[in-house]
Amino acid sequence: MLKSVILIGGPQKGTRFRPLSFEVPKPLFPVAGVPMLQHHVEECAKVPNMKEILLIGFYQPNEELTRFMCSAQQEFKISIRYLQEYAALGTGGGIYHFRDQILSGGPEAFFIMNADVCSEFPLPEMLNFQKEHGEPSSFVILGTTANRKQSMNYGCIVENQQTNEVLHYVEKPSTFVSDIINCGIYLFTPEIFQHIGAVFQKNQQDMLISMCGSGAIRLEQDIFTALAGQGKLYVYKTPAIWSQIKSAGSAIYASRLYLNQYHKTHPERLATNKEGGPRISGNVYIHPTANIDPTAVLGPNVSIGTGVTIGAGVRVRESIILHGATLQDHSCVLNCIVGWDSTIGKWARVEGTPSDPNPNDPYEWVTNCLIMSGNFGAF
């Protein structure tokens, strides 16, 4: 028996994603036409013997989250529950607080994943890798490679190249450590709670002594750093797609990755050129409720949400158009997120800076145009 735990954070987190996260919880923001979280749930549900998916975060229960869980349970035929933290407990503290819920039913292993990552989610491959490496109680980090400059923005992993054991782990080092980075997706056995529990006890003692401090436990800094080199922690390196989703620019980049992935996983989600329909160039998702003039040109990397209206001669490229937006005749939208119920006026041109090659690098001068509300016309 297996379980999956998705860490969805809370409203105080994800400040770089604002103001998009003011309208909808960040994990429910649509990427490639479906909520960010749905990509995770869908891949978890495909894993044989997966019995339950737990969402852990400190969002107040809300209508959007409840609606998503009900819909996903029906579509993917799997139990999904939300466990609300009383405070931000950290990536390790949240799962330790709800360890009884995670361990109920006696799972032999469970996945932990951050909600704000875009990935192919090679979960079966991680399971096979765990069986082939180390002890049955070993833990696995999903890793990928990055260039020297990028790597310093992530958790860096030094591995034994023969065994793939993690020998050294440093979270966001100030100097180059390794080109293997942490993807925020893990495979644990119940034994992980012994290691988290030891950190919890130490934190409690430190708080009593100093009368201050935080009870938050971070998997990356507090657990992985200590486990490295002990023969317990291994890295499975994937050559497949991966990206963080921390900002508007990275959401467009992730949408591009998922749209391209749809050729293999969901070809029915990709729009095609049809008589009487708009001209499609490259990978484009169009919600069935959208109203699009046949003279419009869409793509590549475009996602059109529910109830969107697109007028005659409109050009859209490398953009996400959210629910209820209107793009009036002959407008041009490039490298943008057009927000809910916004209007782009006739002949207006709205253009952001392309997010290539690395929207996740905070040292790159990358901005995307973000239209959140109101009417925008030509000058």
Side-chain angles (χ1 to χ4, degrees):
M1 171 187 169
L2 301 169
K3 290 191 179 186
S4 287
V5 178
I6 306 174
L7 307 177
I8 67 172
Q12 288 80 15
K13 295 288 185 178
T15 53
R16 277 188 282 167
F17 206 70
R18 294 175 182 170
L20 295 171
S21 54
F22 288 152
E23 296 289 328
V24 65
K26 179 182 173 183
L28 300 183
F29 181 82
V31 177
V34 300
M36 191 187 302
L37 201 53
Q38 183 168 324
H39 297 285
H40 300 60
V41 170
E42 186 172 339
E43 294 306 314
C44 290
K46 292 178 183 177
V47 178
N49 210 24
M50 183 67 67
K51 297 301 182 186
E52 186 175 43
I53 298 172
L54 301 174
L55 312 179
I56 295 180
F58 53 101
Y59 287 100
Q60 290 292 327
N62 57 74
E63 184 180 345
E64 292 96 337
L65 190 58
T66 301
R67 189 187 309 120
F68 168 78
M69 289 194 298
C70 291
S71 173
Q73 285 187 113
Q74 292 178 357
E75 181 174 356
F76 302 112
K77 305 297 188 292
I78 191 167
S79 170
I80 303 174
R81 290 192 292 140
Y82 175 52
L83 305 177
Q84 183 189 357
E85 298 173 315
Y86 61 87
L89 299 176
T91 51
I95 65 173
Y96 187 70
H97 181 70
F98 290 112
R99 60 194 180 279
D100 290 343
Q101 300 277 357
I102 296 171
L103 296 178
S104 69
E108 59 197 61
F110 53 92
F111 291 98
I112 302 287
M113 56 192 76
N114 293 318
D116 59 354
V117 297
C118 159
S119 175
E120 283 189 15
F121 300 99
L123 308 183
E125 292 86 342
M126 291 176 71
L127 283 166
N128 292 333
F129 176 86
Q130 184 194 44
K131 293 174 183 175
E132 296 168 1
H133 290 72
E135 304 172 3
S137 60
S138 60
F139 316 123
V140 180
I141 300 175
L142 181 67
T144 191
T145 55
N147 63 42
R148 292 176 68 95
K149 185 178 179 182
Q150 281 180 289
S151 67
M152 290 157 53
N153 301 313
Y154 303 94
C156 291
I157 299 165
V158 178
E159 67 163 347
N160 181 316
Q161 295 185 355
Q162 280 71 46
T163 65
N164 303 114
E165 181 194 348
V166 176
L167 301 177
H168 189 49
Y169 184 93
V170 184
E171 184 69 17
K172 297 180 181 175
S174 56
T175 59
F176 177 74
V177 171
S178 169
D179 64 351
I180 305 173
I181 61 172
N182 176 3
C183 291
I185 300 172
Y186 318 117
L187 175 59
F188 292 153
T189 58
E191 285 77 7
I192 192 67
F193 290 119
Q194 297 175 15
H195 301 280
I196 300 176
V199 173
F200 176 78
Q201 294 298 332
K202 181 179 181 301
N203 285 357
Q204 294 294 104
Q205 292 171 4
D206 291 346
M207 289 171 66
L208 287 172
I209 293 171
S210 63
M211 301 300 290
C212 64
S214 168
I217 301 172
R218 303 158 300 179
L219 283 175
E220 300 79 8
Q221 293 97 320
D222 298 325
I223 307 302
F224 294 160
T225 302
L227 285 175
Q230 294 189 13
K232 286 281 189 182
L233 191 61
Y234 292 80
V235 57
Y236 173 72
K237 291 176 292 184
T238 176
I241 65 167
W242 182 83
S243 175
Q244 281 188 322
I245 308 177
K246 296 291 187 183
S247 63
S250 58
I252 293 176
Y253 182 72
S255 182
R256 181 192 309 157
L257 296 180
Y258 277 136
L259 287 171
N260 191 55
Q261 185 73 4
Y262 283 170
H263 285 285
K264 292 193 300 183
T265 59
H266 286 287
E268 75 282 358
R269 289 182 183 170
L270 293 174
T272 56
N273 286 295
K274 297 178 181 177
E275 187 175 350
R279 181 177 148 203
I280 305 299
S281 174
N283 299 325
V284 175
Y285 168 86
I286 302 174
H287 193 274
T289 60
N291 182 15
I292 302 175
D293 190 276
T295 62
V297 180
L298 309 178
N301 182 29
V302 168
S303 176
I304 306 294
T306 57
V308 167
T309 300
I310 296 180
V314 170
R315 180 71 176 100
V316 185
R317 186 180 72 209
E318 296 283 342
S319 297
I320 297 173
I321 314 300
L322 297 173
H323 168 87
T326 299
L327 311 187
Q328 293 183 352
D329 296 353
H330 308 291
S331 58
C332 181
V333 177
L334 311 174
N335 306 301
C336 291
I337 295 178
V338 177
W340 298 271
D341 300 314
S342 298
T343 298
I344 306 297
K346 293 181 179 180
W347 296 101
R349 180 185 179 96
V350 184
E351 182 172 3
T353 303
S355 59
D356 286 336
N358 179 23
N360 300 307
D361 188 342
Y363 303 106
E364 294 282 353
W365 290 98
V366 174
T367 57
N368 283 77
C369 183
L370 178 58
I371 306 296
M372 283 304 295
S373 63
N375 300 304
F376 296 82
F379 293 95

